[in-house]
Amino acid sequence: MTAEIASNTPTSLFNTANTITRKTGRFTLRYRPYTLEMRHVFTIAAGSRSTTPVVLTALEFDGIVGYGEASMPPYLGESHESVLAFLDKVDLTGFNDPFLTEHILEYVDAIALKNTAAKASLDIALHDLLGKTMQQPWHRIWGYNPATTPNTSFTIGIDTAEKVRQKVSEAEPYQLLKVKLGLDTDKMMIEAIREVTDKPLCVDVNQGWKQRDEALEMSHWLAERGVVFLEQPMPKEQIDDNTWLTENSPIPTIGDEAVQRLDDVRKAHGVYSGINIKLMKCTGMREAHKMAELARALDMKVMLGCMTETSCAISAAAQLSPIVDWADLDGALLISNDVYQGMAVVDGKVVLSDKAGIGITQLSNT
């Protein structure tokens, strides 16, 4: 087993030539680029990739260190260069108390438009730091019961029938499979999976369906084959079509690309049955928490998702998992070079760490 490194001090992970270290008031901010390697080529309706760029962050205050991460899949429009440029602008000299979370993160959000993954990297690091200061994990600070966490789905990317069956075999421990659709191979994908398992499925179309009549026909076909919900079935701009589909579909619809930040939750009400919250879309844990509570108040379903991420961002998101309907927190399971250990999956169920903060430790082989 890979050994863990104590998480209250920066370690070799940030003792590299490409790490930037900046003293900014009473805070010390460290950040460095990193590239995640996929176990399989990952294909969705919008394209394929075998790597994902991330930026790892560490935020230190009075000797306590919190860790964060920005993950940048292509559709977010961020990159190593844009995240590093954003972090170069961060000046925390006006803040002498890390518990001024709202003020600090409002300042970070105002530095530049968009850059949501870059902002999330600071938000996660700050939450990790504060949780360690309080010596409590965030799910406990929020008052959530770790026993009520859901199963996490495991993602099956678009591929040949043979590869799909192989991926399903590798996903044996998981009780819910998430299938990427949106191309002309949709029925083949589902049929290949149904040849080898009868586990419940959810599907993510990534805006791949364009016609609402065809989308409704597919929703009935999928419902008959054990699919429990549709994620972003049509382009987010087709508001009327998505609304019509939600009203007529036999299974719930979930807004993903259409729901980025807090202001989008009310806009999604009535258009979709629920929302998919991702830290990299919404700037981190602070806003994700607000989105979940608002969606609940609007009687909407809540899904907790992720990008391709290390166990740092996955474990941060998992702190919200006790209150969601569905979780898709497999991002770290899809990569071969994780640098943290944190949230675990046991028999398909999300299991939260009782370690303080977001519940992670660095791995000694990094």
Side-chain angles (χ1 to χ4, degrees):
M1 179 179 292
T2 306
E4 299 175 358
I5 296 176
S7 57
N8 276 346
T9 56
T11 67
S12 58
L13 184 58
F14 290 93
N15 293 336
T16 62
N18 61 355
T19 294
I20 299 167
T21 300
R22 293 175 46 231
K23 186 75 173 175
T24 172
R26 293 181 62 186
F27 291 90
T28 299
L29 177 60
R30 298 176 177 86
Y31 44 99
R32 56 162 290 198
Y34 189 66
T35 299
L36 302 181
E37 304 287 342
M38 309 292 293
R39 294 185 185 276
H40 295 285
V41 173
F42 190 68
T43 300
I44 63 174
S48 302
R49 69 179 190 273
S50 58
T51 61
T52 300
V54 300
V55 171
L56 307 174
T57 58
L59 188 63
E60 182 175 357
F61 187 91
D62 285 355
I64 298 177
V65 182
Y67 296 103
E69 172 184 1
S71 173
M72 295 86 67
Y75 87 90
L76 277 183
E78 295 181 71
S79 63
H80 279 151
E81 292 74 20
S82 69
V83 173
L84 295 175
F86 181 91
L87 295 175
D88 286 344
K89 298 175 184 176
V90 175
D91 181 2
L92 301 177
T93 54
F95 304 101
N96 291 316
D97 182 353
F99 282 91
L100 298 175
T101 313
E102 289 291 319
H103 294 289
I104 294 171
L105 295 177
E106 284 174 0
Y107 156 74
V108 169
D109 198 12
I111 291 174
L113 294 173
K114 298 183 178 180
N115 292 279
T116 55
K119 295 169 182 178
S121 72
L122 291 168
D123 170 286
I124 296 168
L126 181 60
H127 278 80
D128 192 32
L129 188 158
L130 292 174
K132 290 171 179 173
T133 301
M134 292 183 277
Q135 300 183 355
Q136 296 291 338
W138 267 96
H139 64 268
R140 183 172 295 168
I141 294 169
W142 278 329
Y144 298 153
N145 181 357
T148 63
T149 57
N151 289 328
T152 181
S153 57
F154 186 88
T155 301
I156 308 294
I158 297 171
D159 217 320
T160 64
E162 181 181 359
K163 280 286 190 179
V164 166
R165 289 190 290 268
Q166 176 189 341
K167 292 175 182 178
V168 171
S169 176
E170 294 173 3
E172 177 59 32
Y174 302 90
Q175 308 307 312
L176 176 66
L177 301 179
K178 176 176 175 176
V179 187
K180 293 289 188 178
L181 299 182
L183 300 179
D184 57 6
T185 55
D186 287 355
K187 289 188 176 182
M188 178 278 290
M189 289 281 298
I190 300 300
E191 289 167 346
I193 291 170
R194 283 293 175 244
E195 289 176 9
V196 291
T197 183
D198 60 358
K199 290 178 180 178
L201 309 176
C202 54
V203 301
D204 185 1
V205 188
N206 287 116
Q207 309 183 86
W209 298 341
K210 310 305 180 187
Q211 304 298 322
R212 70 181 190 176
D213 291 332
E214 294 177 6
L216 181 60
E217 180 183 344
M218 277 298 296
S219 72
H220 282 279
W221 188 86
L222 292 168
E224 292 169 357
R225 286 154 181 80
V227 171
V228 295
F229 68 81
L230 301 171
E231 187 178 344
Q232 200 60 58
M234 289 183 287
K236 62 181 182 180
E237 297 82 8
Q238 295 179 211
I239 296 172
D240 290 344
D241 289 336
N242 279 300
T243 302
W244 180 86
L245 179 62
T246 297
E247 292 171 348
N248 292 280
S249 173
I251 49 181
T253 62
I254 304 296
D256 181 12
E257 284 88 345
V259 184
Q260 305 288 316
R261 300 200 56 179
L262 181 61
D263 288 346
D264 296 322
V265 178
R266 287 192 183 277
K267 297 174 186 175
H269 185 232
V271 181
Y272 304 95
S273 311
I275 63 170
N276 186 1
I277 300 172
K278 296 179 181 176
L279 301 192
M280 298 301 139
K281 294 190 302 183
C282 73
T283 74
M285 296 171 68
R286 165 180 167 266
E287 190 153 321
H289 185 229
K290 293 179 179 181
M291 292 175 71
E293 294 201 324
L294 177 56
R296 284 296 186 211
L298 294 172
D299 197 28
M300 299 180 75
K301 296 290 187 181
V302 178
M303 177 183 175
L304 189 61
C306 64
M307 308 301 182
T308 311
E309 300 164 355
T310 75
S311 289
C312 175
I314 295 295
S315 298
Q319 303 303 310
L320 280 169
S321 64
I323 65 162
V324 306
D325 298 287
W326 299 294
D328 179 36
L329 297 177
D330 64 346
L333 303 172
L334 302 177
I335 64 172
S336 60
N337 58 339
D338 201 352
V339 291
Y340 293 102
Q341 185 174 72
M343 182 213 85
V345 178
V346 179
D347 294 330
K349 181 180 172 64
V350 172
V351 177
L352 295 171
S353 168
D354 60 0
K355 293 183 173 68
I358 60 174
I360 61 169
T361 50
Q362 291 184 39
L363 298 176
S364 63
N365 62 349
T366 58

